[in-house]
Amino acid sequence: MSKEWPLWEVFIRGQHGLNHRHVGSLHAPDAEMAINNARDVYTRRKEGVSIWVVKSVDITASAPSEKGPLFDPAESKTYRHPTFYDIPDEVGHM
Amino acid sequence: MYGQELGAKERDGIEAGTEELEAAFQARIDRGERVEPKDWMPEHYRKTLIRMMGQHAHSEIVGQLPEGNWITRAPTLERKQILLAKVQDEAGHGLYLYSAAETLGVTRDDLTEQLLSGKMKYSSIFNYPTLSWADIGAVGWLVDGAAIMNQVPLQRTSYGPYSRAMIRICKEESFHQRQGFDIMRKMANGTKEQKDMAQDALNRFWYPSLMMFGPSDKESVHSDQSMKWRIKINTNDELRQKFVDQTVPQAEFLGLTVPDDKLAWNEEKGGYDFSEPDWAEFFEVIKGNGPCNEERIEARRKAWDDGAWFRDALTAHAEKQARRRAEGALQAAE
Amino acid sequence: MPSLPDMNSTDVVGMARRAAEHQAPRDRHIHNEELKPALFEWLCRMGDSTLILGHRLSEWCGHAPVLEEDIALANVALDLIGHTQMWLGLAGEVECEGRDADRLAFRRDVAHFRNVLLVEKQNGDIGSTLMRQFLFDAWHIERLRGLSESSSERVAEIAAKAFKEVSYHVDRSADLVIRLGDGTDESHRRMQKALDSHWTYANEMFTDDGVDEAVAEVGIAARSSELKPAWDRLVDEVFAEATLVRPDNDYARSGGKNGQRHTEHLGHLLAEMQFLQRAYPDASW
């Protein structure tokens, strides 16, 4: 069996100017073709205006055992969430 | 779809000390948490998932063929576009599912080899032939209808990448069943010949569609384990019943007859009583004796073998280019 | 302060003109009796070429060497069939005999098709398909580019819609021709063979006849021969990078765009494509 094309992770920024979002993966021999393939595979329904690709092996991910220390602190920062604040009813929508 | 539990189900020996991990793992699933690729997971969970996702992916890919059989004969430009877009979606769905399986340490090439060697299966339904244009309607209406029954709950499956792939697939598939039903409607309300084709298509695809849910798994131990792990959400019988209850009124709307003398509404259970498909036929189809098994695998093998030089050439070019760039950079630095 | 969006828009005159056009689409060529035969013929040449090539590409669906390519080829096929609907739809309007795009696509026989010969050639291997695609795309993009200045608003409008899609087609097919030409020894050999085989077919795309002359005279479209220099530049550039040798033969096959001698392949393609409409002429689908 011959050599398989490497796997790429695909990130797409949609029409509404939000951040690039991971949409899936695909195989391609190099970055340029990964971009082309991503256009064909992941924007069949006009989902995106900008595409990033990165080789899957180049992604460094947090280890699951670190899940606690990395994400728990944010849990205490409830002030980052709008529901943290009590707004009197008479003020109306905010 | 295509959650038919096929193939070997060897239970791996539980290593000493993993019991605690397994309990914690089960607790996470019970809390509704998703399992992600780098998380610890029981080896059997991993293997079961690879098989499920692999077979699901293979089914999408082989599933391109019976419908693809009519792309070049679609009767109008618009029907041609719709069918082509739909079959193209199946390729996309296969791709998403292979990618999800790849997060568990297999490669797409491995899975492809296993499909071609017969080691891995795909849904039995795709071994049935599409003989008339009405079959394209029936496949969309019944086969996609059955698939959706299974896929919608799988969006909540415990394995994150599988669940995310299913969410994307379900979103894209929303038009598939409708286009099939639309073809059936046109045929059922068309000329006498068209109506006959529509009835004939229903006759031939009804029982194979019921088979898609797999044999009854009321007593199945494997099914129990899969449900505990939330990689299977409903029993085969539940889904089959749901499918029949949903489809019979649609057939009536079309003015077509479901080919089952025993079909009757059962007030007590709030669903239809219906005849079981011929499970002996099902097992023959699984074993390779369906109407189109050989043609399907042969078509996939040909695509794979004939494409080898193409895949290799693009690898070779990418390597050449990388080398040239590196040499260029080196010269620039000197 | 009243809101004054018409003052805030930079191109308000252009916008007004386009809006007016939209309200009353006028195109003096569409119902010009004298021009009709040539314009109908020319529109069929466009629509039949995109139809037959789209059909050929659709044959790959489910059979391509890799999933990503399967999906990409289907995208191109979908675009081309979309163009067909526009070109043949307009041809039907010009003809004014009640034939719509489907009727033209599914009820004409070989002798009435006006596609170039290149697109009816069988797919062959994926390299042959992609080489055929590149040679066509390189012509297609030049054809559409020129049509943006067509004296026919309707033609210009279709061309503008198609142009964006075809820009991607040609980028993609050129890229693949380069990669496969400069890939392995085997891929190089296959691509050179495909190029040699397609070459004299491709030359047909640049031959002129009375139809080309008639639509050129009224400013609808450039003569086919006028597209050649730009096509030459592009294909030469790509072949150089692909390490492929341009065949040294200016001979142009003929018989496709004028319908006088199609290949044997077209009849088989139509027999398949038109089967349902032919077998059940009273049915609607």
Side-chain angles (χ1 to χ4, degrees):
Chain A
M1 194 165 68
S2 49
K3 204 153 120 197
E4 188 166 5
W5 293 350
L7 191 66
W8 300 77
E9 299 302 321
V10 180
F11 300 80
I12 289 183
R13 177 155 58 75
Q15 319 239 352
H16 307 295
L18 297 174
N19 290 335
H20 282 77
R21 229 182 105 223
H22 182 241
V23 292
S25 357
L26 48 73
H27 288 271
D30 63 19
E32 290 78 11
M33 265 197 81
I35 292 269
N36 278 354
N37 289 347
R39 176 201 177 274
D40 281 310
V41 172
Y42 288 105
T43 68
R44 299 201 300 286
R45 289 169 172 78
K46 311 247 171 284
E47 290 95 335
V49 292
S50 164
I51 300 173
W52 289 349
V53 293
V54 56
K55 260 193 194 164
S56 307
V57 294
D58 290 339
I59 290 189
T60 310
S62 60
S65 54
E66 292 165 4
K67 208 168 166 183
L70 274 181
F71 300 111
D72 286 349
E75 256 176 60
S76 59
K77 297 186 177 68
T78 50
Y79 48 81
R80 285 189 183 277
H81 298 274
T83 47
F84 176 78
Y85 303 93
D86 239 356
I87 304 291
D89 286 346
E90 46 275 37
V91 174
H93 180 71
M94 183 176 281
Chain B
M1 165 89 224
Y2 329 129
Q4 290 164 359
E5 289 281 302
L6 305 162
K9 289 179 187 146
E10 73 292 352
R11 171 86 194 173
D12 302 286
I14 299 175
E15 301 157 42
T18 58
E19 265 171 51
E20 236 171 83
L21 281 167
E22 286 210 3
F25 178 80
Q26 187 62 52
R28 285 186 60 194
I29 288 178
D30 294 343
R31 283 196 301 272
E33 285 179 29
R34 293 278 188 279
V35 178
E36 295 298 336
K38 292 182 110 187
D39 293 343
W40 182 89
M41 64 187 79
E43 187 54 17
H44 186 56
Y45 175 88
R46 196 179 73 87
K47 284 196 169 159
T48 306
L49 266 171
I50 290 175
R51 198 186 63 239
M52 268 183 77
M53 289 191 280
Q55 288 179 169
H56 191 160
H58 295 331
S59 300
E60 299 281 0
I61 301 310
V62 178
Q64 287 187 277
L65 301 171
E67 288 180 285
N69 186 33
W70 279 87
I71 290 174
T72 52
R73 288 178 289 175
T76 68
L77 294 171
E78 191 183 63
R79 291 284 182 205
K80 197 186 198 64
Q81 284 178 309
I82 294 171
L83 184 59
L84 182 54
K86 178 183 188 278
V87 181
Q88 181 199 38
D89 274 352
E90 316 294 2
H93 299 169
L95 191 155
Y96 306 159
L97 289 160
Y98 283 129
S99 302
E102 283 174 271
T103 61
L104 291 174
V106 281
T107 67
R108 193 200 291 176
D109 281 4
D110 288 340
L111 294 169
T112 303
E113 294 288 345
Q114 292 189 50
L115 167 70
L116 298 181
S117 71
K119 244 176 103 183
M120 285 182 88
K121 307 287 186 192
Y122 54 91
S123 179
S124 55
I125 190 77
F126 301 118
N127 291 312
Y128 288 87
T130 51
L131 302 176
S132 80
W133 176 248
D135 287 13
I136 298 308
V139 169
W141 172 39
L142 300 173
V143 176
D144 287 309
I148 289 164
M149 290 274 152
N150 196 45
Q151 287 177 343
V152 166
L154 276 178
Q155 293 178 96
R156 293 178 284 115
T157 192
S158 64
Y159 188 56
Y162 194 16
S163 154
R164 289 189 285 275
M166 289 318 306
I167 289 169
R168 193 173 181 95
I169 289 170
C170 286
K171 205 170 107 195
E172 296 187 350
E173 280 215 342
S174 53
F175 89 87
H176 291 186
Q177 193 188 11
R178 285 176 183 211
Q179 68 86 32
F181 191 73
D182 188 56
I183 291 175
M184 285 310 267
R185 245 179 100 177
K186 199 85 183 171
M187 300 292 282
N189 295 308
T191 63
K192 162 104 180 38
E193 285 158 318
Q194 283 177 302
K195 187 161 184 172
D196 289 347
M197 280 189 247
Q199 182 62 54
D200 176 54
L202 174 57
N203 293 349
R204 281 182 290 104
F205 275 96
W206 176 254
Y207 287 108
S209 301
L210 296 186
M211 290 178 196
M212 286 176 72
F213 298 97
S216 177
D217 55 0
K218 264 180 263 174
E219 320 280 322
S220 162
V221 183
H222 300 298
S223 206
D224 260 10
Q225 180 61 73
S226 294
M227 288 176 87
K228 255 197 207 149
W229 278 336
R230 292 185 70 76
I231 51 185
K232 183 177 166 81
I233 312 284
N234 303 93
T235 69
N236 297 349
D237 293 315
E238 279 167 12
L239 291 171
R240 186 170 15 249
Q241 182 70 50
K242 206 171 156 202
F243 173 74
V244 172
D245 293 346
Q246 177 191 289
T247 308
V248 170
Q250 293 167 352
E252 282 166 3
F253 174 86
L254 293 172
L256 300 177
T257 311
V258 173
D260 181 357
D261 298 338
K262 296 209 185 89
L263 187 78
W265 179 256
N266 181 331
E267 193 61 52
E268 207 175 311
K269 74 172 180 185
Y272 286 92
D273 290 331
F274 58 93
S275 301
E276 290 271 306
D278 179 354
W279 292 114
E281 177 183 313
F282 175 76
F283 282 112
E284 285 301 321
V285 176
I286 297 286
K287 262 166 47 190
N289 296 324
C292 303
N293 296 54
E294 283 173 26
E295 288 87 343
R296 300 295 185 242
I297 287 297
E298 193 42 45
R300 288 313 306 166
R301 186 192 314 282
K302 187 171 184 325
W304 184 244
D305 291 348
D306 289 358
W309 73 268
F310 172 86
R311 298 188 300 271
D312 290 346
L314 294 185
T315 301
H317 179 82
E319 284 168 356
K320 268 189 211 175
Q321 286 295 88
R323 220 167 30 239
R324 284 170 190 153
R325 255 178 238 142
E327 282 163 11
L330 209 63
Q331 277 167 8
E334 276 166 7
Chain C
M1 173 78 183
S3 125
L4 294 168
D6 58 335
M7 294 295 105
N8 296 338
S9 308
T10 47
D11 178 29
V12 73
V13 177
M15 284 165 67
R17 182 173 46 79
R18 285 192 293 276
E21 274 168 10
H22 192 70
Q23 281 167 339
R26 279 188 60 243
D27 189 326
R28 65 200 160 88
H29 298 304
I30 299 303
H31 298 294
N32 175 344
E33 279 303 313
E34 204 185 325
L35 184 63
K36 188 197 248 183
L39 182 54
F40 174 74
E41 184 95 357
W42 186 86
L43 289 166
C44 285
R45 289 176 179 184
M46 294 301 291
D48 289 345
S49 291
T50 54
L51 171 61
I52 301 302
L53 186 57
H55 183 95
R56 282 291 186 221
L57 290 178
S58 79
E59 293 173 2
W60 274 105
C61 188
H63 305 277
V66 67
L67 281 176
E68 285 80 357
E69 187 61 24
D70 206 296
I71 293 168
L73 287 169
N75 274 341
V76 178
L78 284 168
D79 288 343
L80 291 172
I81 297 165
H83 302 168
T84 303
Q85 285 171 315
M86 298 190 283
W87 291 125
L88 292 186
L90 185 55
E93 271 184 60
V94 166
E95 188 193 36
C96 230
E97 286 177 21
R99 295 201 286 183
D100 60 10
D102 278 330
R103 184 89 191 178
L104 288 168
F106 291 94
R107 298 288 184 93
R108 280 177 304 155
D109 203 348
V110 170
H112 297 280
F113 267 75
R114 294 292 180 265
N115 58 280
V116 291
L117 295 173
L118 178 67
V119 297
E120 66 195 53
K121 285 192 82 184
Q122 288 175 307
N123 283 337
D125 66 20
I126 187 72
S128 172
T129 295
L130 289 168
M131 179 59 80
R132 180 186 64 195
Q133 190 65 35
F134 170 62
L135 296 173
F136 181 82
D137 289 344
W139 168 85
H140 202 186
I141 195 72
E142 284 314 315
R143 171 52 87 200
L144 295 174
R145 197 193 313 276
L147 293 179
S148 65
E149 285 157 26
S150 173
S151 63
S152 161
E153 289 91 349
R154 298 287 300 280
V155 166
E157 196 187 352
I158 295 173
K161 278 186 194 153
F163 184 80
K164 255 172 79 178
E165 294 171 346
V166 174
S167 307
Y168 180 67
H169 299 176
V170 70
D171 282 353
R172 203 180 165 283
S173 60
D175 183 55
L176 283 168
V177 164
I178 290 168
R179 287 166 184 272
L180 294 172
D182 183 27
T184 59
D185 289 346
E186 179 179 7
S187 70
H188 178 83
R189 185 178 52 72
R190 285 177 185 260
M191 294 312 280
Q192 185 66 53
K193 190 175 157 215
L195 174 55
D196 294 345
S197 163
H198 294 330
W199 188 252
T200 53
Y201 289 89
N203 286 338
E204 185 197 13
M205 299 190 289
F206 307 100
T207 54
D208 289 332
D209 63 10
V211 172
D212 289 282
E213 203 56 47
V215 293
E217 253 169 45
V218 292
I220 292 178
R223 287 168 191 81
S224 295
S225 56
E226 292 169 41
L227 307 175
K228 190 79 190 308
W231 185 83
D232 277 337
R233 271 196 302 279
L234 178 57
V235 300
D236 285 346
E237 193 185 305
V238 168
F239 294 156
E241 223 185 312
T243 70
L244 295 171
V245 180
R246 175 189 170 116
D248 180 22
N249 187 352
D250 288 335
Y251 174 68
R253 291 178 191 252
S254 64
K257 60 186 273 189
N258 62 22
Q260 285 170 10
R261 189 187 291 139
H262 280 283
T263 67
E264 289 180 349
H265 307 302
L266 184 63
H268 291 282
L269 184 153
L270 295 184
E272 188 172 340
M273 184 176 88
Q274 299 178 335
F275 157 68
L276 283 170
Q277 293 247 6
R278 298 286 193 184
Y280 306 99
D282 303 326
S284 86
W285 306 94

